[in-house]
Amino acid sequence: MAQSEHLTAPVDTVVSRMRALDAALPERDGVAVFNRVYLSVTEEVERRLDAGRFGDPRAAATLDVRFAERYLAAVDAAAGDRRPPACWRPLFQFRRHPGVRPLQFALAGINAHIGHDLALAVVDSCRTLGCEPADLEDEFDRVGELLVSLEERIREDLMPGPDLLQIADPLTHLLGSWSLERARDATWSAARALWALRRFEDLVEEFTERLDAAVGLAGRMLLTPLPD
């Protein structure tokens, strides 16, 4: 097996899972909306791995897969009538609410995945690779830059037209209250803190629970039902 094929095989596995979800879920379902967004990100990472555009492709592939596994575990928990992490619960609870717009679903999923899952995925990847968070910073930044560019495209694709979006529109207020770039910066700090605390299990558990709850609260606000 070629080196690139060896690296992208695990990525292809999570891509296949997301494609299966895309085919199975109703288009308007909130989880389906986020899943389409995340699928496009993971497909782009896979293309860039094939093209050799990561400085450390093994680290990038590991981070990408550990990251995706966190989301897929939340999907599996919800499907199995188990409680997903608090950061994901609002999306699963409101996924069929008629007053929540597609852009809200997309950003709530991104909030849960970046704000909570990415920090834990960095720690997972460090354990898998036997490295420090600093060794993953370049790959973290490259994936983060891809996510930021994608967020801009999402807002363009899912944002209501200018005739519907007034300065006083509640959606304008909600979208202005959350930033992927700020969330990504906070996530890197959280990942470094979790790694520094890794030998103190009680502190790690408390830190993770508080991070999960805080991200879940932000997600619940992003999913505030809005009038037509």
Side-chain angles (χ1 to χ4, degrees):
M1 180 182 290
Q3 176 71 4
S4 63
E5 292 175 343
H6 172 72
L7 289 170
T8 57
V11 180
D12 190 56
T13 298
V14 295
V15 165
S16 296
R17 281 285 318 273
M18 288 182 224
R19 286 175 178 160
L21 282 170
D22 185 48
L25 293 172
E27 183 178 356
R28 182 63 175 77
D29 181 287
V31 177
V33 173
F34 169 72
N35 187 77
R36 287 193 295 273
V37 169
Y38 190 33
L39 173 58
S40 67
V41 171
T42 311
E43 287 173 335
E44 180 62 24
V45 169
E46 188 174 33
R47 283 191 290 271
R48 294 186 183 196
L49 281 167
D50 281 333
R53 294 177 62 185
F54 286 99
D56 186 341
R58 180 169 177 252
T62 300
L63 179 59
D64 186 62
V65 171
R66 294 290 174 265
F67 190 29
E69 286 172 344
R70 291 272 172 184
Y71 158 62
L72 294 171
V75 170
D76 289 342
D81 292 325
R82 304 187 308 277
R83 282 167 67 83
C87 62
W88 284 107
R89 286 175 210 156
L91 182 60
F92 287 106
Q93 290 167 354
F94 286 82
R95 63 193 296 178
R96 297 179 182 89
H97 197 295
V100 179
R101 302 179 192 180
L103 182 55
Q104 292 175 263
F105 288 133
L107 294 185
I110 294 171
N111 168 70
H113 206 36
I114 298 295
H116 173 265
D117 293 357
L118 184 53
L120 300 185
V122 169
V123 174
D124 293 341
S125 299
C126 287
R127 288 184 172 131
T128 298
L129 297 167
C131 68
E132 299 283 324
D135 299 319
L136 295 179
E137 189 168 6
D138 286 346
E139 278 57 51
F140 178 94
D141 286 342
R142 286 188 177 92
V143 172
E145 288 162 8
L146 174 60
L147 288 162
V148 169
S149 66
L150 182 72
E151 186 208 13
E152 293 170 357
R153 202 161 74 231
I154 293 165
R155 289 178 185 256
E156 291 174 3
D157 291 347
L158 298 181
M159 182 77 79
D163 56 324
L164 298 177
L165 195 61
Q166 305 299 325
I167 190 65
D169 190 300
L171 183 60
T172 306
H173 176 74
L174 279 176
L175 299 184
S177 67
W178 187 83
S179 160
L180 192 151
E181 289 196 68
R182 288 197 299 268
R184 186 184 64 171
D185 290 344
T187 290
W188 182 245
S189 296
R192 292 177 60 212
L194 283 167
W195 185 252
L197 294 171
R198 66 191 181 279
R199 295 182 181 85
F200 304 96
E201 293 183 8
D202 290 348
L203 287 175
V204 168
E205 183 177 358
E206 181 179 353
F207 187 103
T208 303
E209 287 178 357
R210 290 181 183 276
L211 177 66
D212 191 19
V215 174
L217 179 61
R220 175 62 185 84
M221 290 188 289
L222 284 169
L223 292 172
T224 300
L226 303 173
D228 293 332

